[in-house]
Tab-separated table of all heavy atoms in Angstrom:
chain	number	residue	atom	x	y	z
A	1	LEU	N	129.671	7.913	233.150
A	1	LEU	CA	130.172	9.112	233.810
A	1	LEU	C	130.548	8.768	235.242
A	1	LEU	O	129.699	8.287	236.010
A	1	LEU	CB	129.131	10.228	233.814
A	1	LEU	CG	128.665	10.741	232.449
A	1	LEU	CD1	127.321	10.131	232.081
A	1	LEU	CD2	128.553	12.270	232.452
A	2	ASP	N	131.808	8.971	235.587
A	2	ASP	CA	132.293	8.840	236.962
A	2	ASP	C	132.671	10.239	237.422
A	2	ASP	O	133.731	10.761	237.047
A	2	ASP	CB	133.506	7.907	237.023
A	2	ASP	CG	133.201	6.500	236.512
A	2	ASP	OD1	132.055	6.052	236.678
A	2	ASP	OD2	134.098	5.871	235.926
A	3	ILE	N	131.819	10.847	238.220
A	3	ILE	CA	131.960	12.263	238.559
A	3	ILE	C	132.283	12.407	240.046
A	3	ILE	O	131.477	12.046	240.916
A	3	ILE	CB	130.671	13.044	238.222
A	3	ILE	CG1	130.235	12.764	236.773
A	3	ILE	CG2	130.880	14.524	238.475
A	3	ILE	CD1	131.239	13.185	235.721
A	4	ALA	N	133.466	12.932	240.329
A	4	ALA	CA	133.910	13.135	241.716
A	4	ALA	C	133.562	14.550	242.156
A	4	ALA	O	133.939	15.529	241.494
A	4	ALA	CB	135.411	12.902	241.825
A	5	ILE	N	132.852	14.647	243.263
A	5	ILE	CA	132.398	15.942	243.780
A	5	ILE	C	132.592	15.974	245.290
A	5	ILE	O	132.763	14.927	245.923
A	5	ILE	CB	130.909	16.192	243.432
A	5	ILE	CG1	130.040	15.060	244.006
A	5	ILE	CG2	130.731	16.318	241.931
A	5	ILE	CD1	128.551	15.270	243.804
A	6	PRO	N	132.577	17.158	245.904
A	6	PRO	CA	132.779	17.232	247.352
A	6	PRO	C	131.768	16.388	248.123
A	6	PRO	O	130.586	16.296	247.744
A	6	PRO	CB	132.607	18.720	247.648
A	6	PRO	CG	132.997	19.405	246.375
A	6	PRO	CD	132.495	18.496	245.292
A	7	ASN	N	132.243	15.772	249.191
A	7	ASN	CA	131.357	14.985	250.052
A	7	ASN	C	130.161	15.827	250.506
A	7	ASN	O	130.288	17.034	250.744
A	7	ASN	CB	132.115	14.478	251.288
A	7	ASN	CG	133.190	13.469	250.928
A	7	ASN	OD1	133.200	12.919	249.829
A	7	ASN	ND2	134.099	13.221	251.876
A	8	GLY	N	129.010	15.173	250.617
A	8	GLY	CA	127.802	15.859	251.063
A	8	GLY	C	126.918	16.309	249.922
A	8	GLY	O	125.784	16.728	250.151
A	9	LEU	N	127.448	16.231	248.698
A	9	LEU	CA	126.663	16.562	247.514
A	9	LEU	C	126.379	15.286	246.722
A	9	LEU	O	126.993	14.244	246.956
A	9	LEU	CB	127.407	17.567	246.630
A	9	LEU	CG	127.703	18.930	247.247
A	9	LEU	CD1	128.600	19.749	246.317
A	9	LEU	CD2	126.414	19.689	247.560
A	10	MET	N	125.451	15.374	245.794
A	10	MET	CA	125.090	14.249	244.944
A	10	MET	C	125.194	14.677	243.490
A	10	MET	O	124.833	15.804	243.143
A	10	MET	CB	123.650	13.802	245.241
A	10	MET	CG	123.151	12.652	244.369
A	10	MET	SD	121.362	12.341	244.579
A	10	MET	CE	121.286	11.876	246.303
A	11	ASN	N	125.720	13.811	242.643
A	11	ASN	CA	125.680	14.055	241.201
A	11	ASN	C	124.660	13.122	240.558
A	11	ASN	O	124.650	11.916	240.815
A	11	ASN	CB	127.031	13.827	240.540
A	11	ASN	CG	126.911	13.942	239.022
A	11	ASN	OD1	126.671	15.019	238.502
A	11	ASN	ND2	127.034	12.825	238.319
A	12	VAL	N	123.813	13.700	239.715
A	12	VAL	CA	122.832	12.932	238.951
A	12	VAL	C	123.144	13.120	237.477
A	12	VAL	O	123.192	14.251	236.984
A	12	VAL	CB	121.391	13.389	239.259
A	12	VAL	CG1	120.397	12.544	238.470
A	12	VAL	CG2	121.106	13.294	240.757
A	13	SER	N	123.362	12.019	236.783
A	13	SER	CA	123.654	12.060	235.352
A	13	SER	C	122.680	11.161	234.602
A	13	SER	O	121.705	10.670	235.163
A	13	SER	CB	125.108	11.646	235.089
A	13	SER	OG	126.011	12.624	235.575
A	14	ASN	N	122.969	10.924	233.346
A	14	ASN	CA	122.079	10.161	232.481
A	14	ASN	C	122.150	8.672	232.803
A	14	ASN	O	123.161	8.162	233.267
A	14	ASN	CB	122.471	10.369	231.019
A	14	ASN	CG	122.776	11.817	230.695
A	14	ASN	OD1	123.896	12.269	230.903
A	14	ASN	ND2	121.791	12.542	230.195
A	15	GLY	N	121.062	7.972	232.505
A	15	GLY	CA	121.046	6.525	232.607
A	15	GLY	C	120.798	6.020	234.011
A	15	GLY	O	120.176	6.678	234.844
A	16	GLN	N	121.317	4.813	234.263
A	16	GLN	CA	121.101	4.159	235.544
A	16	GLN	C	122.268	4.412	236.490
A	16	GLN	O	123.418	4.519	236.070
A	16	GLN	CB	120.920	2.649	235.336
A	16	GLN	CG	119.670	2.275	234.544
A	16	GLN	CD	118.386	2.464	235.330
A	16	GLN	OE1	118.400	2.802	236.516
A	16	GLN	NE2	117.255	2.259	234.670
A	17	PHE	N	121.955	4.499	237.765
A	17	PHE	CA	122.949	4.748	238.805
A	17	PHE	C	123.750	3.473	239.064
A	17	PHE	O	123.187	2.407	239.332
A	17	PHE	CB	122.244	5.211	240.083
A	17	PHE	CG	123.157	5.529	241.223
A	17	PHE	CD1	124.247	6.364	241.052
A	17	PHE	CD2	122.913	4.997	242.484
A	17	PHE	CE1	125.083	6.680	242.108
A	17	PHE	CE2	123.736	5.303	243.553
A	17	PHE	CZ	124.824	6.141	243.359
A	18	LEU	N	125.081	3.559	238.982
A	18	LEU	CA	125.954	2.412	239.218
A	18	LEU	C	126.445	2.340	240.652
A	18	LEU	O	126.815	1.266	241.138
A	18	LEU	CB	127.162	2.471	238.273
A	18	LEU	CG	126.876	2.436	236.766
A	18	LEU	CD1	128.185	2.483	235.983
A	18	LEU	CD2	126.060	1.212	236.397
A	19	GLY	N	126.501	3.500	241.321
A	19	GLY	CA	126.949	3.502	242.711
A	19	GLY	C	127.795	4.704	243.038
A	19	GLY	O	128.152	5.501	242.165
A	20	GLU	N	128.119	4.853	244.316
A	20	GLU	CA	128.961	5.944	244.790
A	20	GLU	C	130.149	5.374	245.547
A	20	GLU	O	130.072	4.294	246.144
A	20	GLU	CB	128.171	6.894	245.693
A	20	GLU	CG	127.590	6.221	246.930
A	20	GLU	CD	126.762	7.164	247.771
A	20	GLU	OE1	127.364	8.016	248.463
A	20	GLU	OE2	125.527	7.042	247.747
A	21	LYS	N	131.265	6.107	245.510
A	21	LYS	CA	132.490	5.631	246.139
A	21	LYS	C	133.192	6.800	246.808
A	21	LYS	O	133.538	7.789	246.157
A	21	LYS	CB	133.399	4.993	245.086
A	21	LYS	CG	134.736	4.507	245.615
A	21	LYS	CD	135.594	3.949	244.470
A	21	LYS	CE	136.953	3.496	244.959
A	21	LYS	NZ	137.796	3.002	243.826
A	22	ASP	N	133.401	6.685	248.112
A	22	ASP	CA	134.149	7.700	248.849
A	22	ASP	C	135.627	7.555	248.491
A	22	ASP	O	136.237	6.506	248.717
A	22	ASP	CB	133.942	7.524	250.358
A	22	ASP	CG	134.491	8.697	251.163
A	22	ASP	OD1	135.445	9.357	250.693
A	22	ASP	OD2	133.978	8.940	252.261
A	23	LEU	N	136.211	8.610	247.932
A	23	LEU	CA	137.599	8.551	247.473
A	23	LEU	C	138.607	8.810	248.587
A	23	LEU	O	139.816	8.712	248.374
A	23	LEU	CB	137.803	9.546	246.330
A	23	LEU	CG	136.918	9.320	245.086
A	23	LEU	CD1	137.190	10.397	244.040
A	23	LEU	CD2	137.123	7.930	244.501
A	24	GLY	N	138.107	9.166	249.758
A	24	GLY	CA	138.999	9.362	250.899
A	24	GLY	C	139.755	10.671	250.895
A	24	GLY	O	140.644	10.881	251.727
A	25	ASN	N	139.421	11.572	250.005
A	25	ASN	CA	140.112	12.858	249.913
A	25	ASN	C	139.150	14.035	249.981
A	25	ASN	O	139.443	15.126	249.489
A	25	ASN	CB	140.922	12.915	248.616
A	25	ASN	CG	140.046	12.751	247.371
A	25	ASN	OD1	138.836	12.510	247.491
A	25	ASN	ND2	140.633	12.860	246.199
A	26	GLY	N	137.977	13.778	250.577
A	26	GLY	CA	136.952	14.817	250.649
A	26	GLY	C	136.015	14.812	249.446
A	26	GLY	O	135.113	15.650	249.380
A	27	PHE	N	136.239	13.869	248.545
A	27	PHE	CA	135.399	13.772	247.355
A	27	PHE	C	134.766	12.383	247.272
A	27	PHE	O	135.353	11.390	247.700
A	27	PHE	CB	136.213	14.032	246.086
A	27	PHE	CG	136.518	15.492	245.847
A	27	PHE	CD1	137.481	16.145	246.613
A	27	PHE	CD2	135.839	16.203	244.878
A	27	PHE	CE1	137.768	17.487	246.405
A	27	PHE	CE2	136.112	17.546	244.655
A	27	PHE	CZ	137.074	18.193	245.419
A	28	THR	N	133.550	12.349	246.707
A	28	THR	CA	132.845	11.095	246.431
A	28	THR	C	132.577	11.001	244.937
A	28	THR	O	132.177	11.984	244.312
A	28	THR	CB	131.510	11.029	247.197
A	28	THR	OG1	131.786	11.071	248.601
A	28	THR	CG2	130.745	9.753	246.871
A	29	GLU	N	132.826	9.809	244.380
A	29	GLU	CA	132.609	9.593	242.946
A	29	GLU	C	131.236	8.954	242.737
A	29	GLU	O	130.921	7.920	243.317
A	29	GLU	CB	133.699	8.685	242.385
A	29	GLU	CG	133.614	8.477	240.876
A	29	GLU	CD	134.769	7.651	240.365
A	29	GLU	OE1	134.732	6.407	240.524
A	29	GLU	OE2	135.738	8.243	239.826
A	30	TRP	N	130.444	9.614	241.889
A	30	TRP	CA	129.097	9.135	241.550
A	30	TRP	C	129.126	8.633	240.112
A	30	TRP	O	129.523	9.364	239.204
A	30	TRP	CB	128.079	10.261	241.706
A	30	TRP	CG	127.976	10.769	243.120
A	30	TRP	CD1	128.843	11.609	243.762
A	30	TRP	CD2	126.958	10.437	244.062
A	30	TRP	NE1	128.435	11.833	245.046
A	30	TRP	CE2	127.268	11.129	245.269
A	30	TRP	CE3	125.813	9.651	244.017
A	30	TRP	CZ2	126.468	11.038	246.402
A	30	TRP	CZ3	125.015	9.558	245.147
A	30	TRP	CH2	125.338	10.246	246.338
A	31	SER	N	128.693	7.387	239.899
A	31	SER	CA	128.815	6.757	238.588
A	31	SER	C	127.437	6.446	237.993
A	31	SER	O	126.550	5.909	238.673
A	31	SER	CB	129.627	5.467	238.687
A	31	SER	OG	130.953	5.740	239.100
A	32	TRP	N	127.305	6.781	236.721
A	32	TRP	CA	126.070	6.571	235.972
A	32	TRP	C	126.416	6.024	234.594
A	32	TRP	O	127.501	6.279	234.074
A	32	TRP	CB	125.298	7.888	235.805
A	32	TRP	CG	124.852	8.499	237.092
A	32	TRP	CD1	125.605	9.225	237.968
A	32	TRP	CD2	123.544	8.416	237.662
A	32	TRP	NE1	124.860	9.615	239.046
A	32	TRP	CE2	123.582	9.138	238.886
A	32	TRP	CE3	122.349	7.825	237.257
A	32	TRP	CZ2	122.455	9.269	239.694
A	32	TRP	CZ3	121.226	7.955	238.068
A	32	TRP	CH2	121.282	8.667	239.274
A	33	LYS	N	125.470	5.293	233.995
A	33	LYS	CA	125.736	4.728	232.678
A	33	LYS	C	124.455	4.633	231.857
A	33	LYS	O	123.416	4.208	232.348
A	33	LYS	CB	126.350	3.330	232.814
A	33	LYS	CG	126.744	2.691	231.482
A	33	LYS	CD	127.395	1.331	231.697
A	33	LYS	CE	127.796	0.717	230.362
A	33	LYS	NZ	128.441	-0.618	230.549
A	34	THR	N	124.577	5.050	230.584
A	34	THR	CA	123.484	4.859	229.625
A	34	THR	C	123.813	3.663	228.737
A	34	THR	O	124.986	3.358	228.487
A	34	THR	CB	123.298	6.088	228.722
A	34	THR	OG1	124.437	6.209	227.848
A	34	THR	CG2	123.154	7.364	229.530
A	35	VAL	N	122.762	3.015	228.242
A	35	VAL	CA	122.961	1.896	227.316
A	35	VAL	C	122.253	2.147	225.989
A	35	VAL	O	122.107	1.239	225.185
A	35	VAL	CB	122.492	0.560	227.935
A	35	VAL	CG1	123.343	0.203	229.137
A	35	VAL	CG2	121.013	0.615	228.301
A	36	ASN	N	121.817	3.380	225.793
A	36	ASN	CA	121.182	3.785	224.541
A	36	ASN	C	121.989	4.913	223.898
A	36	ASN	O	122.679	5.664	224.597
A	36	ASN	CB	119.749	4.273	224.798
A	36	ASN	CG	118.797	3.131	225.082
A	36	ASN	OD1	118.497	2.321	224.213
A	36	ASN	ND2	118.312	3.052	226.325
A	37	PRO	N	121.899	5.057	222.567
A	37	PRO	CA	122.571	6.186	221.913
A	37	PRO	C	122.108	7.505	222.516
A	37	PRO	O	120.936	7.661	222.880
A	37	PRO	CB	122.134	6.051	220.447
A	37	PRO	CG	121.688	4.645	220.289
A	37	PRO	CD	121.140	4.230	221.619
A	38	ILE	N	123.017	8.484	222.582
A	38	ILE	CA	122.694	9.752	223.251
A	38	ILE	C	123.418	10.902	222.553
A	38	ILE	O	124.590	10.792	222.193
A	38	ILE	CB	123.052	9.681	224.755
A	38	ILE	CG1	122.656	10.968	225.492
A	38	ILE	CG2	124.520	9.341	224.961
A	38	ILE	CD1	122.773	10.851	227.011
A	39	ASN	N	122.709	12.009	222.375
A	39	ASN	CA	123.312	13.220	221.804
A	39	ASN	C	124.409	13.735	222.732
A	39	ASN	O	124.290	13.664	223.954
A	39	ASN	CB	122.270	14.341	221.656
A	39	ASN	CG	121.165	14.003	220.686
A	39	ASN	OD1	121.339	13.170	219.802
A	39	ASN	ND2	120.027	14.635	220.855
């Protein structure tokens, strides 16, 4: 999951945190990844 949200907020998703990236447009992308099967 690569989820772009307004700067100043945090997105938490499933699995391990891969990192955050400032997109330069007022949004930051938060990336997460699971390595197990998931509903």
